[in-house]
Amino acid sequence: MRVELALFGAFRQFDPGARIELELVNDARVADLRLAFAGYAAAHWPGFSPGLLARSAFASEREVLRESEPIPADRRVAVLPPVSGG
């Protein structure tokens, strides 16, 4: 299945459209998406920091997703890097 991944925060600097598509197996979980995204980023984005991805969350349009959860039915997910405020 093709998953549309929306990029936010620091990830936006790597893709002008702030979206990528990844191919995953039909019964993929969020943990599978994280691994596929890490591989894509390492192959396509010089300067990508795996540490940033390790601290980031994935979310559907309605909630933050746990690693063991299936990919949402609409196959649209956002990656949310950590933020700080002040």
Side-chain angles (χ1 to χ4, degrees):
M1 79 172 128
R2 291 196 72 77
V3 176
E4 180 181 298
L5 185 60
L7 308 174
F8 287 90
F11 291 111
R12 292 184 83 123
Q13 69 180 321
F14 295 110
D15 188 274
R19 291 190 187 282
I20 62 169
E21 288 190 355
L22 297 171
E23 188 69 34
L24 300 176
V25 296
N26 286 335
D27 60 347
R29 303 282 174 176
V30 173
D32 300 315
L33 175 59
R34 184 181 297 276
L35 287 173
F37 182 44
Y40 177 92
H44 293 91
W45 300 337
F48 170 73
S49 169
L52 177 63
L53 178 56
R55 295 184 307 274
S56 296
F58 290 89
S60 68
E61 289 187 12
R62 298 182 352 186
E63 63 188 343
V64 174
L65 302 168
R66 292 189 170 100
E67 295 290 304
S68 61
E69 290 187 77
I71 300 299
D74 67 1
R75 292 178 266 162
R76 293 172 46 192
V77 180
V79 59
L80 309 170
V83 297
S84 62

